Amino acid sequence: MEFILEDISEAEVARRRAVYTPLTDTVRDLVDAVIRTEVPEEDLPEARRRIAEVVADLRTRQMDGPYGVRHTRENTGMAWGNAVIGVRNALAPPIDVVHAADGVRADFTLGAAYEGPPGNVHGGVCAMILDHLLGNAASYESACFTGTITVKYLRPTRLGALTAQAWVTEQSGRKRIARGTISDDEGVTCEAEGVFIVPKSAVDGPSVRWSAG
Amino acid sequence: MEFILEDISEAEVARRRAVYTPLTDTVRDLVDAVIRTEVPEEDLPEARRRIAEVVADLRTRQMDGPYGVRHTRENTGMAWGNAVIGVRNALAPPIDVVHAADGVRADFTLGAAYEGPPGNVHGGVCAMILDHLLGNAASYESACFTGTITVKYLRPTRLGALTAQAWVTEQSGRKRIARGTISDDEGVTCEAEGVFIVPKSAVDGPSVRWSAG
């Protein structure tokens, strides 16, 4: 597994982030609009045609495979294709993970595109976000991979404003145990515990303070 | 939690599916293109503007909230906004779940938008898909909810063609235990076990042979 060095300054990372964020946000908006639109069906082929034209233009020059996981010399993570946090990935809510002394935290909003049961977040989406957050908490020294994760659903998670938190409860050798929760304004809706493994190759490698999931 | 009756024929479901599928597929294509494009940055604002115009047109008439979970009188599920299987949701790969005598199965392809570690599926995406598949296997008599799910990662899951399978191993009262796996062409990459609960309200309700997640 190859991580790519982007040999650019922190200012250049910020500049590029500002270029791609509005584009990705607009695609997120489109995903939502396609789910919720009630315009006459006969208008849809034309909408499709216009989107396909943009796709064709964007594809005139593109990378061969997926975006990969990139980082700067300062170990700023640029997992911009990532399914949960990707700046260029409209599937990602995105989750903006903030590091704190006691772990990590993210405040985010999930709309129509994350629905499972009526009006509620898909249980699998909760599992996805918790996997990422716990992995992120466990990656405080070095990127690591999920070994096992257990998610317990206490009650449905309403679509809307949510908070996820995660922290490390135990560590020994290359193994980390992390716990976390998702909460709405009435408290915790689901909780998780995971076992994370630091790859052997990473033990003597650079310190990367982020997780790719 | 309210499920919506769409009082339409199976033929009408199929007709609408054929109308929305190409549109959603093109948005999936756009999501991929935005991650992978290498066109000059100065072209991106114009791409964004053109997408925003389509969004505005689609939003001239739209439903107030999320799509919800709909079904026909014949109990054909129309969870078309669903994050994993939604016909109108570009976030969904989508997973097309096929029922068999011994459980459920889905063959699908995950591209750049589902990346976590370089070239591999995000572990959280595997958890999301397994949650849905296990829930679906457990919903053979009535839609049910995940109580707890444990996912064990055996090795990384390469982006590309994959298969997920799930089956029920135990049932008592309103409780079901299901197991499942995700496999690539070299075998199983991760496995899951989950406890699913049939809601009390559903025990005397209609038989719904699908799960909302």
Side-chain angles (χ1 to χ4, degrees), chain B residues 132-179:
Chain B
H132 193 91
L133 260 281
L134 269 63
N136 210 304
S139 299
Y140 55 94
E141 281 176 349
S142 176
C144 61
F145 298 96
T146 316
T148 308
I149 187 167
T150 298
V151 182
K152 186 175 174 187
Y153 298 87
L154 308 178
R155 61 180 170 85
T157 303
R158 296 291 300 176
L159 291 171
L162 299 166
T163 299
Q165 291 179 277
W167 57 93
V168 173
T169 57
E170 209 181 308
Q171 61 174 92
S172 60
R174 296 191 293 115
K175 184 174 136 185
R176 312 265 182 272
I177 295 177
R179 284 181 159 274

Coordinates of all heavy atoms in Angstrom, one line a residue, chain B residues 132-179:
Chain B
H132 N -26.1 -3.6 6.0 CA -27.3 -3.7 5.1 C -27.7 -5.1 4.7 O -28.8 -5.5 4.8 CB -27.2 -2.8 3.9 CG -28.5 -2.6 3.2 ND1 -29.3 -1.6 3.5 CD2 -29.1 -3.4 2.3 CE1 -30.4 -1.7 2.8 NE2 -30.3 -2.8 2.0
L133 N -26.7 -5.8 4.3 CA -26.9 -7.2 3.8 C -27.4 -8.1 5.0 O -28.3 -8.9 4.8 CB -25.6 -7.8 3.3 CG -25.4 -7.8 1.7 CD1 -26.2 -8.9 1.1 CD2 -25.8 -6.5 1.1
L134 N -26.8 -8.0 6.1 CA -27.2 -8.8 7.3 C -28.7 -8.5 7.6 O -29.5 -9.3 7.9 CB -26.3 -8.7 8.5 CG -25.1 -9.7 8.5 CD1 -24.2 -9.5 7.4 CD2 -24.4 -9.5 9.8
G135 N -28.9 -7.2 7.6 CA -30.3 -6.7 8.0 C -31.3 -7.2 7.0 O -32.4 -7.6 7.3
N136 N -30.9 -7.3 5.7 CA -31.7 -7.8 4.7 C -32.0 -9.3 4.8 O -33.2 -9.7 4.7 CB -31.1 -7.5 3.3 CG -32.1 -7.3 2.2 OD1 -32.9 -8.1 2.0 ND2 -32.0 -6.2 1.6
A137 N -31.0 -10.0 5.2 CA -31.2 -11.4 5.4 C -32.1 -11.7 6.6 O -33.0 -12.6 6.5 CB -29.8 -12.1 5.7
A138 N -32.0 -10.8 7.6 CA -32.8 -11.0 8.8 C -34.2 -10.5 8.6 O -35.1 -10.9 9.4 CB -32.1 -10.2 10.0
S139 N -34.5 -9.8 7.5 CA -35.8 -9.2 7.3 C -36.6 -10.1 6.4 O -37.5 -9.6 5.6 CB -35.7 -7.8 6.6 OG -35.0 -7.0 7.5
Y140 N -36.4 -11.4 6.4 CA -37.1 -12.3 5.5 C -38.6 -12.4 5.8 O -39.4 -12.6 4.9 CB -36.6 -13.8 5.6 CG -36.5 -14.3 7.0 CD1 -37.6 -15.1 7.4 CD2 -35.5 -14.0 7.8 CE1 -37.5 -15.6 8.7 CE2 -35.4 -14.5 9.1 CZ -36.5 -15.3 9.5 OH -36.5 -15.8 10.8
E141 N -39.0 -12.1 7.0 CA -40.5 -12.1 7.4 C -41.0 -10.7 7.5 O -42.1 -10.4 7.2 CB -40.7 -12.8 8.7 CG -40.7 -14.3 8.5 CD -40.9 -15.0 9.9 OE1 -40.8 -14.3 10.9 OE2 -41.1 -16.2 9.9
S142 N -40.1 -9.8 8.1 CA -40.6 -8.5 8.5 C -39.4 -7.6 8.6 O -38.3 -8.0 9.1 CB -41.3 -8.5 9.8 OG -41.7 -7.2 10.2
A143 N -39.5 -6.3 8.1 CA -38.4 -5.4 8.3 C -37.9 -5.3 9.7 O -38.7 -5.3 10.6 CB -38.8 -4.0 7.8
C144 N -36.5 -5.3 9.9 CA -36.1 -5.3 11.3 C -34.9 -4.3 11.4 O -34.3 -3.8 10.4 CB -35.7 -6.7 11.8 SG -34.5 -7.5 10.8
F145 N -34.4 -4.0 12.6 CA -33.4 -3.1 12.9 C -32.2 -3.7 13.5 O -32.3 -4.7 14.2 CB -33.9 -2.0 13.9 CG -35.1 -1.2 13.3 CD1 -36.4 -1.6 13.6 CD2 -34.8 -0.2 12.4 CE1 -37.4 -0.9 13.0 CE2 -35.9 0.5 11.9 CZ -37.2 0.2 12.2
T146 N -31.0 -3.1 13.2 CA -29.8 -3.7 13.8 C -29.7 -3.4 15.3 O -30.0 -2.2 15.7 CB -28.5 -3.0 13.1 OG1 -28.7 -3.0 11.7 CG2 -27.3 -3.8 13.4
G147 N -29.5 -4.4 16.1 CA -29.2 -4.2 17.5 C -27.7 -4.0 17.7 O -27.3 -2.9 18.2
T148 N -26.9 -4.9 17.3 CA -25.5 -4.9 17.4 C -24.9 -5.5 16.2 O -25.4 -6.5 15.7 CB -25.0 -5.7 18.7 OG1 -25.7 -5.2 19.8 CG2 -23.5 -5.5 18.9
I149 N -23.8 -5.0 15.7 CA -23.0 -5.7 14.6 C -21.5 -5.6 14.9 O -21.0 -4.6 15.4 CB -23.4 -5.1 13.2 CG1 -22.8 -5.9 12.1 CG2 -23.0 -3.6 13.1 CD1 -23.3 -5.6 10.7
T150 N -20.9 -6.8 14.6 CA -19.4 -6.8 14.8 C -18.8 -7.2 13.4 O -19.3 -8.1 12.8 CB -19.0 -7.9 15.8 OG1 -19.6 -7.6 17.1 CG2 -17.5 -8.0 15.9
V151 N -17.9 -6.4 13.0 CA -17.2 -6.6 11.7 C -15.7 -7.0 12.0 O -15.1 -6.2 12.7 CB -17.3 -5.4 10.8 CG1 -16.6 -5.7 9.4 CG2 -18.8 -5.0 10.6
K152 N -15.3 -8.1 11.4 CA -13.9 -8.5 11.6 C -13.2 -8.4 10.2 O -13.6 -8.9 9.2 CB -13.8 -9.9 12.1 CG -12.4 -10.4 12.4 CD -12.5 -11.8 13.0 CE -11.1 -12.4 13.2 NZ -11.1 -13.8 13.7
Y153 N -12.1 -7.6 10.2 CA -11.4 -7.4 8.9 C -10.2 -8.4 8.8 O -9.3 -8.4 9.7 CB -10.8 -5.9 8.9 CG -12.0 -4.9 8.9 CD1 -12.5 -4.5 10.1 CD2 -12.6 -4.5 7.7 CE1 -13.6 -3.6 10.1 CE2 -13.6 -3.6 7.7 CZ -14.1 -3.1 8.9 OH -15.2 -2.3 9.0
L154 N -10.2 -9.3 7.8 CA -9.2 -10.3 7.7 C -8.0 -9.8 6.9 O -6.9 -10.1 7.2 CB -9.8 -11.5 7.0 CG -11.1 -12.1 7.7 CD1 -11.6 -13.3 6.9 CD2 -10.8 -12.4 9.1
R155 N -8.3 -8.9 5.9 CA -7.3 -8.3 5.1 C -7.9 -7.2 4.3 O -9.1 -7.1 4.3 CB -6.6 -9.3 4.1 CG -7.6 -9.9 3.1 CD -6.9 -11.0 2.2 NE -7.8 -11.7 1.4 CZ -8.3 -11.4 0.2 NH1 -8.0 -10.2 -0.3 NH2 -9.1 -12.2 -0.4
P156 N -7.1 -6.3 3.7 CA -7.7 -5.2 2.9 C -8.6 -5.7 1.8 O -8.3 -6.8 1.2 CB -6.5 -4.4 2.4 CG -5.3 -4.8 3.3 CD -5.6 -6.2 3.7
T157 N -9.6 -4.9 1.5 CA -10.5 -5.2 0.4 C -10.2 -4.3 -0.8 O -10.4 -3.1 -0.7 CB -12.0 -5.0 0.8 OG1 -12.3 -5.8 2.0 CG2 -13.0 -5.3 -0.2
R158 N -9.7 -4.9 -1.9 CA -9.3 -4.0 -3.0 C -10.5 -3.4 -3.7 O -11.6 -4.0 -3.7 CB -8.6 -4.9 -4.1 CG -7.3 -5.5 -3.7 CD -6.2 -4.5 -3.5 NE -5.9 -3.8 -4.7 CZ -5.0 -2.8 -4.8 NH1 -4.3 -2.4 -3.7 NH2 -4.8 -2.2 -5.9
L159 N -10.4 -2.2 -4.1 CA -11.5 -1.6 -4.9 C -11.7 -2.4 -6.2 O -10.7 -3.0 -6.7 CB -11.1 -0.1 -5.4 CG -11.0 0.9 -4.2 CD1 -10.4 2.2 -4.8 CD2 -12.4 1.1 -3.7
G160 N -12.9 -2.6 -6.6 CA -13.2 -3.4 -7.8 C -14.4 -4.2 -7.6 O -15.3 -3.9 -6.9
A161 N -14.5 -5.4 -8.3 CA -15.6 -6.3 -8.3 C -15.6 -7.1 -7.0 O -14.6 -7.7 -6.6 CB -15.6 -7.2 -9.5
L162 N -16.8 -7.0 -6.3 CA -16.9 -7.7 -5.0 C -18.2 -8.4 -4.9 O -19.2 -8.1 -5.6 CB -16.8 -6.7 -3.8 CG -15.5 -5.9 -3.8 CD1 -15.6 -4.7 -2.9 CD2 -14.3 -6.8 -3.3
T163 N -18.3 -9.3 -3.9 CA -19.5 -10.0 -3.6 C -19.8 -10.0 -2.1 O -18.8 -10.2 -1.3 CB -19.4 -11.5 -4.0 OG1 -19.2 -11.6 -5.4 CG2 -20.7 -12.3 -3.7
A164 N -21.0 -9.7 -1.7 CA -21.4 -9.8 -0.3 C -22.5 -10.8 -0.2 O -23.3 -10.9 -1.0 CB -21.9 -8.4 0.2
Q165 N -22.4 -11.6 0.9 CA -23.4 -12.6 1.2 C -23.8 -12.5 2.7 O -23.0 -12.1 3.5 CB -22.9 -14.0 0.9 CG -22.6 -14.2 -0.6 CD -22.0 -15.6 -0.8 OE1 -20.8 -15.8 -0.7 NE2 -22.9 -16.6 -1.2
A166 N -25.1 -12.9 3.0 CA -25.5 -12.9 4.4 C -26.6 -13.9 4.5 O -27.3 -14.2 3.6 CB -26.0 -11.5 4.8
W167 N -26.7 -14.5 5.7 CA -27.7 -15.5 6.0 C -28.0 -15.5 7.5 O -27.2 -15.0 8.3 CB -27.1 -16.9 5.6 CG -25.8 -17.2 6.2 CD1 -25.6 -17.9 7.4 CD2 -24.5 -16.8 5.8 NE1 -24.3 -18.0 7.7 CE2 -23.6 -17.4 6.7 CE3 -24.0 -16.1 4.7 CZ2 -22.2 -17.2 6.6 CZ3 -22.6 -15.9 4.6 CH2 -21.8 -16.4 5.5
V168 N -29.2 -16.0 7.8 CA -29.6 -16.1 9.2 C -29.1 -17.3 9.9 O -29.2 -18.4 9.3 CB -31.1 -16.0 9.3 CG1 -31.6 -16.2 10.8 CG2 -31.6 -14.6 8.8
T169 N -28.5 -17.2 11.1 CA -28.0 -18.4 11.7 C -28.8 -18.8 12.9 O -28.7 -20.0 13.4 CB -26.5 -18.2 12.2 OG1 -26.6 -17.1 13.1 CG2 -25.6 -17.9 11.1
E170 N -29.7 -17.9 13.4 CA -30.4 -18.2 14.6 C -31.6 -17.2 14.7 O -31.5 -16.1 14.3 CB -29.5 -17.9 15.8 CG -29.8 -18.8 17.0 CD -28.9 -18.4 18.2 OE1 -27.6 -18.4 17.9 OE2 -29.4 -18.1 19.3
Q171 N -32.7 -17.7 15.3 CA -33.9 -16.8 15.5 C -34.7 -17.3 16.7 O -34.8 -18.5 16.9 CB -34.8 -16.8 14.3 CG -35.4 -18.1 13.9 CD -36.4 -17.9 12.8 OE1 -36.1 -18.0 11.6 NE2 -37.7 -17.6 13.2
S172 N -35.1 -16.3 17.5 CA -36.0 -16.7 18.6 C -36.8 -15.4 19.0 O -36.2 -14.4 19.2 CB -35.2 -17.2 19.8 OG -34.3 -16.2 20.3
G173 N -38.1 -15.6 19.0 CA -39.0 -14.5 19.2 C -38.8 -13.4 18.2 O -38.7 -13.7 17.0
R174 N -38.5 -12.2 18.6 CA -38.3 -11.0 17.7 C -36.8 -10.9 17.4 O -36.4 -9.9 16.7 CB -38.9 -9.8 18.3 CG -40.4 -9.8 18.4 CD -41.0 -8.5 18.8 NE -40.7 -8.0 20.1 CZ -39.9 -6.9 20.3 NH1 -39.5 -6.2 19.3 NH2 -39.6 -6.6 21.5
K175 N -36.0 -11.8 17.8 CA -34.5 -11.6 17.7 C -34.0 -12.5 16.5 O -34.4 -13.7 16.4 CB -33.8 -12.0 19.0 CG -32.3 -11.8 19.0 CD -31.8 -12.1 20.4 CE -30.5 -12.9 20.4 NZ -30.0 -13.3 21.7
R176 N -33.1 -12.0 15.7 CA -32.5 -12.8 14.6 C -31.0 -12.6 14.7 O -30.5 -11.4 14.9 CB -32.9 -12.3 13.3 CG -34.4 -12.0 13.1 CD -35.1 -13.2 12.4 NE -36.5 -13.0 12.2 CZ -37.4 -13.3 13.1 NH1 -37.1 -13.7 14.3 NH2 -38.7 -13.1 12.8
I177 N -30.2 -13.6 14.5 CA -28.8 -13.5 14.4 C -28.4 -13.8 12.9 O -28.9 -14.8 12.4 CB -28.0 -14.4 15.4 CG1 -28.3 -13.9 16.8 CG2 -26.5 -14.3 15.1 CD1 -27.7 -14.7 17.9
A178 N -27.6 -12.9 12.3 CA -27.2 -13.1 10.9 C -25.7 -13.0 10.8 O -25.1 -12.3 11.6 CB -27.9 -12.1 10.0
R179 N -25.2 -13.7 9.8 CA -23.8 -13.6 9.5 C -23.6 -13.3 8.1 O -24.5 -13.5 7.3 CB -23.1 -15.0 9.8 CG -22.9 -15.3 11.2 CD -22.2 -16.6 11.4 NE -21.5 -16.7 12.6 CZ -20.3 -16.3 12.9 NH1 -19.6 -15.7 12.0 NH2 -19.8 -16.4 14.1

